[in-house]
Amino acid sequence: MKILIGNNVEIEGSAPRLDTVLMVEDFIEENSGEYNQIELFRNLPKKMMWRTFKIILAYLLNIHKIVINKDGTITWIWNPKLVEKYLKRRDLDVKI
């Protein structure tokens, strides 16, 4: 199965379950900036297939929850409080 991640990026594999995506999100947020992709994959609380992991990373990159730094470490950048602050500003035209 080909999964469209966004910007016409397709990855071959099965769609990960929501609990798996949330587990990876939580782990990255708790360990932001500490691990590169391989180290992160090896230290996850539950094991999964590499392809599933890559699909989750591509998804998180595409929705701007993470970035991959020049040194390869993965950093959590999603800040819901900041987003909420900007959504409340009347001087900004924010479309959701």
Side-chain angles (χ1 to χ4, degrees):
M1 164 188 265
K2 289 185 179 181
I3 299 171
L4 184 63
I5 301 294
N7 297 333
N8 296 322
V9 175
E10 288 184 0
I11 294 181
E12 188 80 28
S14 59
R17 293 177 15 175
L18 178 59
D19 64 330
T20 305
V21 174
L22 294 174
M23 182 263 302
V24 173
E25 280 188 358
D26 290 342
F27 190 79
I28 292 173
E29 186 174 8
E30 292 168 8
N31 299 283
S32 182
E34 291 183 34
Y35 298 117
N36 65 28
Q37 289 184 40
I38 294 171
E39 295 166 338
L40 182 69
F41 178 73
R42 290 182 181 156
N43 286 288
L44 287 171
K46 287 176 35 182
K47 299 302 172 199
M48 68 180 69
M49 293 183 62
W50 176 253
R51 187 172 293 172
T52 303
F53 176 70
K54 292 295 285 182
I55 289 169
I56 294 171
L57 284 186
Y59 167 71
L60 295 175
L61 278 166
N62 190 266
I63 63 170
H64 309 294
K65 285 193 172 185
I66 64 170
V67 292
I68 299 177
N69 302 314
K70 287 182 181 181
D71 65 357
T73 57
I74 298 172
T75 302
W76 183 261
I77 60 169
W78 178 244
N79 186 339
K81 290 180 182 177
L82 183 62
V83 171
E84 186 177 323
K85 175 185 170 184
Y86 282 104
L87 288 175
K88 289 180 180 178
R89 286 186 47 182
R90 295 181 192 271
D91 62 321
L92 297 176
D93 185 22
V94 180
K95 293 180 178 51
I96 298 177

